[in-house]
């Protein structure tokens, strides 16, 4: 018993004690900060407390780098020293062929009897003699110290059990409320559905009424529900909408799961008053953040405060509940409601209080909290007994075998440390690096076949696929170093476009930081289209090339195919005897930090360590099928060794088969192979300069059109592209939303203009043909409306309105500019104005839900920390909206101002952005 207390119980109790002390210091530092100058934004307050909560949970994982022993080490007897002598660890068998592997467990026997591995055919499991067994340790009295430790452990266990029972009872009570709830009236259900659609909530949620409630609550879990009182119908519509937006904000944030986790922590640290204070503050700030979400959707602070006051005047539900159920309803506390009402009535700072948190604020908070946590966690306040026990275990235990990776669908045995595994991995990496270095240039040509849907299923089973979901193409690929490459895809059979592959003959070239993608739609489908990109825009041109180059990349640059993390301790050999297609291969595995994503290579050591297969696994691992898999067949070349001859790529519902027809390695490529020049007559979209033009002879340009941004140019590029969809009979609004989602372009539909023109956005449109330009598809849809409808690209979006007289027109609105300063003093005076100008050019990452123009401008001002003033004569209560993330702030402002009566404009005046009525010409 004494040994258990010294070696197990005392270190086990010391961990939460030390943990609690360091966490208390971290929480105290947060309390001091908020006592001196708390942040104004509710989202920042909540994020700060949540960061401290997470950092406190991670404190035990931070390694100690200095410190001292606080408790004396227990006295070691002779029996102790004998008991901690050398021990025999598990001796694993050599790895068997995948997927089965076994371990031989060591057996303690008499000194004269040897221990032998179960498999006598393997010489690495050798016989050995064991020392005499240790004498038993004499029983010792517990003593006052041991008795005190037992009492503390018993009290903590009892207290935690009581807290968990209370939490379980509260959960049962909430489940009873959910089961006994009634279906609301149709009007309330319609309002609930509209609010859910406006938020864009995908999580399943229902609305119910209950006579036992006097205030709305959100009951989470797998079947979550918003419960309201029985007299819910008597509330005004605005109050109902405000309450629903608040509760749905909880649903969108998944606060039910966060609350459950926090209550479990409250039960584990029931003895820690600062942890209770931290969790109570998180509860209060969480409610304020959901109030702020409702404010950003147009609810006034006074309305929401009045709703809280009305519910507060009733008999609060928590006063009639059994105390065991209160942990689940922390948000009904009077102090929490009082703080919420005070914040909602602060009209002067309401916009700043309700503003969402910015990324730089999150990064700053994380840096501060993590830095303080590391400083606190690194302090080595540990008991000496723990140090002695740990040192004894490390000194007397052999190096454990590497952990068995959870490679789905079956576990593969891991080779033990100290074997030839490290040398095998070093040899493979050396060969891979050498192959990459001696590959100066590549030219490969292959035929590619794409099987989609049922055709892919039949092909995997060895059947002959039938149907329209088979596409063929011929591919040519040139590469010279990491920054120069070209891939040409020639469509052979493209009856039904799929995944934007084989829809047209394409040519993609990369030369340094610039890339060029050229598509040839074919005869009668328009001129060739080219798109030039650079730097971060490079991903736009390389999407189609990824599906084609996996086999070559694995053959010549395997490490460039890493999907998870660079080679590290998780990049290791797990088997040297894996059987793949009748060949003995080395299996290499890589995984992410969490250990739930895997990628595996199978390398053939008999063929210069070439990669013959690759698999990538993502959750759920129970599917027993990899997310993607590549299989490569090689042939031997007298000059260049083993080169790929055929490969297959299986991903989801598609299967790609590629067969090499010819190749050349390290031969000189023609000078114009990587030329970015396009043929005369090609329609060019230059994302670098936001220009559209036609290529002329001698590298000239004609029909140049300047766009206001690359985003507007990309929208124009989509309009000129070949459509690969058909529009089934549906409303015009739904059809435009589908086109916007399908092609990734922002479309603004001015419903107010449609109402003035007496045109319903629910008019039915359809077009079953595909293959035409997207702009022609839109014209056909608009021609089915009773009155003319136009569209144009303006402010980085595609605007649709009956007021536009032309279809496909372009309008460029000049950006606000500042005069060049003539002196350093003038430059200093212009600094606030330049801050506003920079903010206007920043892309927005939010949407403006229906609300007044005044509230929208206040939110933008708080979001970007700039001053915005509007003319007192203009109507600032008009309702506006803007859901087009990605556009610049100046474009969003123009979209909002267009929804107001009259002509409004904005300009920079010193340190203020002024909104004013623009005089008619």
């Amino acid at each position: 018993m004494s040994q258990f207390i010294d070696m197990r119980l005392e270190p086990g109790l010391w961990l939460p004690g030390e943990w609690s002390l360091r966490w208390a210091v971290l929480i105290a530092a947060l309390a001091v900060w908020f006592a001196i100058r708390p942040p104004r934004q509710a989202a920042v307050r909540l994020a700060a407390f949540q960061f401290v909560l997470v950092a406190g949970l991670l404190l035990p994982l931070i390694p100690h780098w200095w410190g001292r022993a606080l408790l004396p080490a227990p006295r070691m007897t002779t029996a102790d020293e004998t008991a901690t002598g050398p021990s025999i660890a598990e001796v694993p068998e050599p790895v068997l062929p995948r997927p089965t592997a076994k371990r031989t467990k060591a057996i303690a026997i008499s000194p004269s009897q040897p221990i032998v591995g179960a498999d006598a055919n393997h010489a690495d499991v050798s016989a050995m003699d064991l020392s005499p067994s240790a004498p038993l340790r004499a029983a010792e009295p517990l003593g006052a110290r041991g008795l005190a430790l037992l009492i503390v452990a018993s009290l903590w266990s009892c207290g935690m059990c009581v807290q968990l029972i209370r939490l379980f009872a509260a959960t049962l009570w909430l489940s009873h409320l959910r089961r006994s709830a009634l279906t609301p009236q149709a009007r309330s259900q319609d309002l609930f559905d509209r609010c859910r659609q406006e938020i864009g909530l995908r999580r399943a949620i229902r609305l119910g009424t209950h006579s036992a409630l006097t205030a709305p609550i959100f009951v989470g879990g797998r079947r979550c529900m918003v419960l309201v009182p029985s007299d819910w119908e008597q509330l005004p519509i605005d109050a109902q909408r405000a309450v629903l937006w608040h509760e749905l904000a909880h649903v969108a944030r998944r606060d039910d799961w966060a609350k459950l986790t926090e209550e479990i922590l409250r039960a584990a640290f029931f003895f820690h008053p600062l942890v209770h204070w931290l969790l109570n503050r998180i509860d209060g700030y969480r409610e304020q953040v959901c109030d702020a979400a409702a404010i950003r959707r147009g609810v006034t602070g006074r309305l929401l405060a009045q709703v809280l006051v009305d519910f507060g005047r009733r008999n609060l539900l928590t006063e009639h509940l059994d105390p065991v159920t209160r942990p689940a309803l922390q948000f009904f506390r009077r102090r929490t409601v009082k703080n919420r009402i005070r914040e909602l009535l602060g009209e002067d700072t309401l916009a700043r209080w309700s503003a969402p948190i910015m990324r730089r604020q999150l990064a700053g908070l994380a840096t501060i909290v993590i830095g303080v946590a590391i400083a606190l966690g690194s302090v080595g306040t540990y008991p000496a007994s723990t140090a002695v026990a740990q040192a004894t275990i490390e000194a007397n235990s052999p190096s454990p075998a590497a952990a068995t990776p959870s490679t789905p669908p079956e576990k593969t045995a891991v080779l033990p440390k100290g074997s030839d595994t490290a040398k095998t991995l070093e040899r493979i990496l050396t060969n891979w690096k050498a192959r990459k270095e001696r590959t100066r240039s590549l030219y490969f040509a292959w035929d590619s076949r794409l099987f989609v849907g049922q055709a892919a299923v039949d092909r995997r089973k060895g059947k002959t696929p039938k149907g329209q979901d088979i596409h063929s193409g011929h591919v040519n690929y040139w590469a010279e170093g990491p920054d120069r490459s070209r891939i040409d895809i020639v469509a052979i059979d493209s009856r039904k476009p799929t995944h934007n592959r084989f829809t047209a003959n394409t040519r993609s070239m990369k030369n340094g930081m610039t890339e060029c993608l050229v598509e040839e739609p074919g005869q009668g489908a328009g001129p060739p289209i080219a798109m030039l990109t650079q730097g971060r825009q490079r991903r736009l041109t390389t999407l189609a090339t990824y599906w084609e180059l996996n086999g070559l990349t694995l053959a010549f640059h395997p490490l460039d195919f890493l999907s998870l993390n660079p080679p590290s301790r998780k990049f290791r050999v797990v088997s040297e005897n894996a059987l793949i297609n009748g060949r003995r291969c080395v299996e290499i595995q890589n995984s992410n930090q969490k250990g739930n994503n895997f990628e595996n290579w199978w390398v053939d050591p008999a063929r210069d360590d070439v990669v013959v297969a690759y698999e990538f696994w993502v959750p759920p691992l129970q599917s027993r099928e990899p997310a993607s898999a590549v299989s490569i067949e090689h042939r031997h070349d007298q000059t260049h060794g083993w080169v790929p001859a055929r490969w297959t790529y299986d991903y989801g519902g598609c299967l790609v088969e590629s067969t090499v027809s010819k190749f050349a390695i390290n031969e000189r490529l023609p000078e114009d192979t990587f030329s970015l020049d396009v043929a005369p007559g090609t329609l060019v979209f230059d994302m670098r300069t936001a220009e559209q033009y036609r290529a002329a002879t001698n590298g000239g340009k004609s029909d140049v059109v300047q766009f206001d941004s690359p985003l507007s140019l990309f929208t124009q590029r989509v309009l000129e592209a070949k459509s690969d969809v058909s529009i089934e009979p549906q409303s015009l609004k739904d059809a435009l939303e589908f086109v916007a989602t399908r092609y990734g372009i922002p479309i603004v539909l001015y419903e107010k203009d449609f109402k003035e023109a007496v045109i319903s956005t629910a008019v039915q449109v359809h077009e079953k043909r595909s293959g035409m330009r997207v702009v022609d598809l839109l014209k056909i849809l608009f021609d089915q409306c009773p009155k003319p409808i136009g569209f144009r690209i303006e402010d980085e979006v595609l605007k649709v309105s009956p007021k536009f007289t032309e279809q496909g027109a372009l309008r460029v609105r000049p950006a606000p500019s500042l005069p060049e300063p003539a002196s350093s003093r003038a430059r200093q005076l212009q600094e606030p104005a330049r801050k506003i100008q920079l903010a206007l050019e920043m892309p927005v990452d939010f949407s403006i839900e229906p609300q007044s123009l005044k509230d929208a401008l206040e939110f933008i001002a708080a979001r970007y920390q700039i001053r915005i003033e509007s003319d007192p004569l203009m109507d600032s209560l008009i309702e506006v909206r803007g859901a087009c993330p990605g556009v610049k702030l100046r474009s969003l402002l123009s979209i909002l101002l267009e929804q107001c009566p009259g002509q409004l404009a904005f300009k920079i005046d010193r340190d203020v952005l002024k909104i004013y009525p623009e005089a008619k010409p």
Side-chain angles (χ1 to χ4, degrees):
M1 190 66 177
S2 298
Q3 184 178 5
F4 168 75
I5 293 175
D6 293 338
M7 305 301 295
R8 301 294 182 184
L9 185 59
E10 181 182 348
L13 289 177
W14 183 263
L15 175 62
E18 180 192 20
W19 186 0
S20 301
L21 288 175
R22 289 186 289 178
W23 202 356
V25 176
L26 187 61
I27 298 174
L30 178 67
V32 172
W33 173 26
F34 272 62
I36 296 176
R37 188 175 181 181
R40 179 54 188 154
Q41 291 176 252
V44 175
R45 299 177 186 176
L46 178 61
F49 275 78
Q50 288 178 335
F51 274 132
V52 171
L53 178 64
V54 175
L57 295 177
L58 298 179
L59 282 176
L61 303 179
I62 302 175
H64 299 321
W65 55 272
W66 70 277
R68 61 188 181 88
L70 297 184
L71 296 179
R75 180 174 56 87
M76 294 288 287
T77 63
T78 305
D80 290 330
E81 296 172 358
T82 307
T84 57
S87 60
I88 302 300
E90 281 188 347
V91 181
E93 285 186 0
V95 178
L96 300 179
R98 196 186 181 198
T100 57
K102 299 179 180 179
R103 289 181 179 269
T104 302
K105 189 173 182 179
I107 306 173
I109 55 179
S110 61
S112 60
Q113 186 179 4
I115 176 171
V116 184
D119 192 350
N121 296 326
H122 298 92
D124 57 341
V125 184
S126 58
M128 61 189 71
D129 292 333
L130 298 180
S131 59
S133 58
L136 297 177
R137 180 177 177 177
E140 295 182 2
L142 291 178
R145 180 163 162 269
L147 185 60
L149 291 175
L150 284 176
I151 294 175
V152 171
S154 301
L155 291 177
W156 178 80
S157 300
C158 294
M160 184 175 178
C161 290
V162 171
Q163 296 295 325
L164 290 178
I165 291 173
R166 295 178 67 242
L167 179 60
F168 181 70
T171 305
L172 290 180
W173 184 80
L174 291 176
S175 300
H176 171 71
L177 281 182
R178 180 173 54 196
R179 289 192 303 268
S180 58
L182 302 178
T183 304
Q185 296 183 9
R187 187 172 67 91
S188 298
Q189 186 64 43
D190 292 341
L191 178 62
F192 180 77
D193 293 337
R194 288 199 304 271
C195 292
R196 185 177 60 181
Q197 292 176 0
E198 291 176 2
I199 292 180
L201 188 63
R202 296 183 179 180
R203 188 178 178 186
I205 179 72
R206 296 184 297 125
L207 179 67
T209 62
H210 204 289
S211 58
L213 296 179
T214 57
I217 63 172
F218 163 48
V219 181
R222 290 185 301 175
R223 294 175 295 179
C224 52
M225 176 182 288
V226 174
L227 297 178
V228 296
S230 300
D231 57 350
W232 172 256
E233 300 293 338
Q234 301 177 7
L235 293 178
I237 295 296
D238 293 341
Q240 292 182 7
R241 184 180 290 107
V243 172
L244 290 179
W245 273 339
H246 173 92
E247 299 300 334
L248 290 176
H250 282 297
V251 181
R253 290 168 41 84
R254 297 188 180 273
D255 286 338
D256 50 337
W257 299 110
K259 180 66 177 175
L260 177 61
T261 303
E262 292 164 8
E263 291 304 322
I264 294 175
L265 293 176
R266 190 191 299 271
F269 290 88
F270 68 92
F271 58 89
H272 203 312
L274 289 182
V275 171
H276 283 265
W277 177 82
L278 179 71
L279 295 176
N280 292 338
R281 285 299 185 95
I282 289 178
D283 289 334
Y285 289 142
R286 182 184 291 119
E287 296 300 318
Q288 293 185 19
V289 167
C290 293
D291 289 340
I295 293 298
R296 292 196 299 270
R297 296 188 175 278
V299 178
T300 61
R302 290 187 174 275
L303 173 61
L304 193 54
Q306 184 61 44
V307 171
L308 292 176
V309 171
D310 293 340
F311 286 132
R313 288 174 178 173
R314 304 181 180 186
N315 293 327
L316 291 179
L317 181 61
T318 51
E319 294 181 356
H320 302 284
L321 289 178
D322 187 87
V324 76
T325 62
R326 292 181 183 176
L329 304 173
Q330 299 288 336
F331 42 83
F332 279 135
R333 293 179 176 177
R334 293 182 176 179
R335 182 177 180 182
T336 300
V337 176
K338 181 179 179 181
N339 292 337
R340 292 168 60 188
I341 295 175
R342 184 178 66 252
E343 297 290 355
L344 291 171
L345 294 180
E347 296 184 355
D348 297 337
T349 58
L350 184 60
R352 183 180 176 186
W353 172 78
S354 61
I357 192 169
M358 301 175 64
R359 292 182 179 178
R360 58 182 179 85
Q361 292 174 320
L362 275 176
L365 283 174
T367 303
I368 295 174
V369 174
I370 291 175
V372 176
I374 291 177
L376 291 175
S378 300
V379 179
T381 54
Y382 53 89
S385 59
T386 305
V388 173
Q390 185 66 23
T392 304
I393 293 173
E394 293 178 355
N396 297 323
S397 299
S399 299
T404 303
S406 301
T407 305
E410 295 162 350
K411 294 186 178 181
T412 304
V414 182
L415 296 176
K417 294 182 179 179
S419 65
D420 295 335
T421 306
K423 295 182 180 180
T424 300
L425 184 59
E426 183 180 359
R427 185 203 72 223
I428 293 174
L429 294 178
T430 301
N431 288 339
W432 285 359
K433 183 178 181 181
R435 183 180 295 115
K436 180 177 181 179
E437 290 177 350
R438 65 173 178 259
T439 305
R440 299 186 303 273
S441 65
L442 286 175
Y443 166 71
F444 271 80
W446 62 88
D447 297 319
S448 184
R449 300 184 69 193
L450 170 65
F451 304 89
V452 183
Q454 186 60 40
V457 175
D458 295 340
R459 188 65 174 177
R460 295 188 191 102
K461 296 180 179 180
K463 301 179 181 179
T464 302
K466 298 180 181 180
Q468 301 293 323
D469 294 334
I470 306 175
H471 314 280
S472 302
H474 183 74
V475 184
N476 289 274
Y477 174 72
W478 299 263
E480 191 177 80
D483 297 328
R484 301 185 73 188
S485 63
R486 170 179 170 179
I487 181 170
D488 293 358
I489 303 178
V490 180
I492 298 176
D493 183 9
S494 179
R495 291 167 291 179
K496 183 179 179 182
T498 304
H499 289 67
N500 289 332
R501 284 169 50 99
F502 304 149
T503 58
N505 299 339
T506 62
R507 182 173 73 257
S508 177
M509 294 153 302
K510 175 185 176 184
N511 198 336
M513 294 296 294
T514 304
E515 294 187 10
C516 178
L517 175 66
V518 181
E519 294 184 1
E520 298 178 0
Q523 297 180 355
I529 297 177
M531 183 166 61
L532 292 169
T533 59
Q534 186 174 8
R536 297 180 180 178
Q537 303 166 346
R538 182 172 57 190
R539 189 175 295 269
L540 296 175
T541 64
T542 57
L543 284 176
T545 64
Y546 173 77
W547 315 108
E548 295 293 350
L549 299 179
N550 44 65
L552 288 180
T553 305
L554 283 170
F556 292 97
H557 306 153
L559 290 179
D560 293 346
F561 211 77
L562 279 171
S563 301
L564 299 177
N565 47 270
S568 62
R569 62 184 180 87
K570 294 183 177 295
F571 186 80
R572 56 189 178 179
V573 175
V574 296
S575 176
E576 293 193 30
N577 201 19
L579 189 62
I580 302 294
N581 296 329
R583 291 181 175 271
R584 300 293 179 179
C585 297
V586 178
E587 182 181 357
I588 302 176
Q589 185 184 83
N590 188 33
S591 63
N592 60 354
Q593 298 297 330
K594 295 182 179 179
N596 55 359
N597 289 348
F598 299 87
E599 52 184 345
N600 290 68
W601 287 261
W602 285 267
V603 180
D604 188 355
R607 294 187 290 178
D608 197 22
D609 292 326
V610 295
V611 179
V612 298
Y614 169 86
E615 289 182 357
F616 183 75
W617 297 82
V618 296
L621 303 178
Q622 294 79 8
S623 62
R624 303 184 65 87
E625 292 293 338
S628 62
V630 183
S631 178
I632 309 175
E633 298 178 8
H634 297 79
R635 63 181 175 182
H636 189 266
D637 182 78
Q638 295 181 354
T639 305
H640 305 289
W642 296 99
V643 294
R646 185 176 182 273
W647 64 84
T648 61
Y649 179 44
D650 193 347
Y651 62 101
C654 300
L655 179 67
V656 183
E657 295 182 353
S658 302
T659 303
V660 176
S661 56
K662 56 182 176 180
F663 69 95
I665 302 176
N666 292 338
E667 294 186 6
R668 186 173 182 180
L669 302 177
E671 294 295 335
D672 59 346
T673 301
F674 308 106
S675 174
L676 299 177
D677 296 334
V678 294
T682 303
L683 184 61
V684 181
F685 297 89
D686 195 338
M687 306 293 289
R688 304 168 301 176
T689 59
E691 288 182 341
Q692 171 192 329
Y693 59 88
R694 291 192 179 273
T697 56
N698 300 325
K701 303 178 183 179
S702 64
D703 302 333
V704 179
V705 180
Q706 184 67 49
F707 287 76
D708 56 347
S709 72
L711 183 58
S712 296
L713 180 62
F714 180 74
T715 302
Q716 177 67 15
R717 163 70 178 85
V718 170
L719 294 180
E720 295 293 335
K722 189 177 180 181
S723 170
D724 59 352
V725 299
S726 59
I727 305 297
E728 299 296 331
Q730 56 188 295
S731 66
L732 176 64
K733 183 178 181 181
D734 293 340
L736 292 179
E737 291 180 354
F738 170 75
V739 172
T741 304
R742 175 65 181 85
Y743 295 105
I745 58 175
I747 299 180
V748 175
L749 181 68
Y750 286 100
E751 297 186 10
K752 181 179 179 181
D753 296 346
F754 276 80
K755 291 181 180 179
E756 294 178 357
V758 195
I759 302 176
S760 174
T761 57
V763 61
Q764 292 291 307
V765 296
H766 63 89
E767 178 55 48
K768 296 186 177 180
R769 295 176 299 170
S770 62
M772 65 184 71
R773 295 187 306 166
V774 177
V775 63
D776 295 330
L777 174 64
L778 291 177
K779 291 179 179 179
I780 293 176
L781 297 180
F782 293 146
D783 289 342
Q784 300 176 29
C785 298
K787 295 182 180 180
I789 297 176
F791 60 93
R792 68 189 182 197
I793 301 176
E794 182 184 9
D795 299 323
E796 303 183 295
V797 300
L798 183 65
K799 298 182 178 180
V800 180
S801 173
K803 292 184 177 180
F804 301 155
T805 58
E806 298 182 2
Q807 293 183 340
L810 170 69
R811 180 181 177 186
V812 178
R813 193 192 305 267
S817 59
L818 297 174
E820 290 296 329
S823 61
S824 58
R825 175 61 179 170
R827 187 178 297 108
Q828 293 178 358
L829 294 176
Q830 278 193 2
E831 284 302 320
R834 291 193 178 277
K835 178 183 176 182
I836 299 177
Q837 189 178 33
L838 291 176
L840 292 176
E841 298 299 321
M842 293 178 61
V844 300
D845 56 355
F846 56 87
S847 299
I848 300 297
E849 301 297 332
Q851 56 186 293
S852 66
L853 177 64
K854 178 182 178 182
D855 294 338
L857 294 178
E858 289 180 353
F859 168 75
I860 293 174
R863 179 71 172 78
Y864 291 94
Q865 301 296 316
I866 59 177
R867 290 180 57 193
I868 300 180
E869 294 182 358
S870 56
D871 192 284
L873 299 179
M874 57 181 285
D875 184 8
S876 60
L877 299 180
I878 188 71
E879 186 179 85
V880 296
R881 69 175 65 186
C884 43
V887 302
K888 296 179 181 178
L889 178 59
R890 59 181 173 90
S891 301
L892 179 62
L893 285 174
S894 300
I895 294 172
L896 297 179
L897 297 181
E898 281 184 347
Q899 303 174 38
C900 302
Q903 295 184 355
L904 301 180
F906 57 90
K907 64 180 179 180
I908 303 175
D909 187 2
R910 297 182 180 179
D911 61 341
V912 180
L913 181 65
K914 291 190 175 181
I915 312 296
Y916 64 96
E918 189 176 19
K920 296 183 179 180

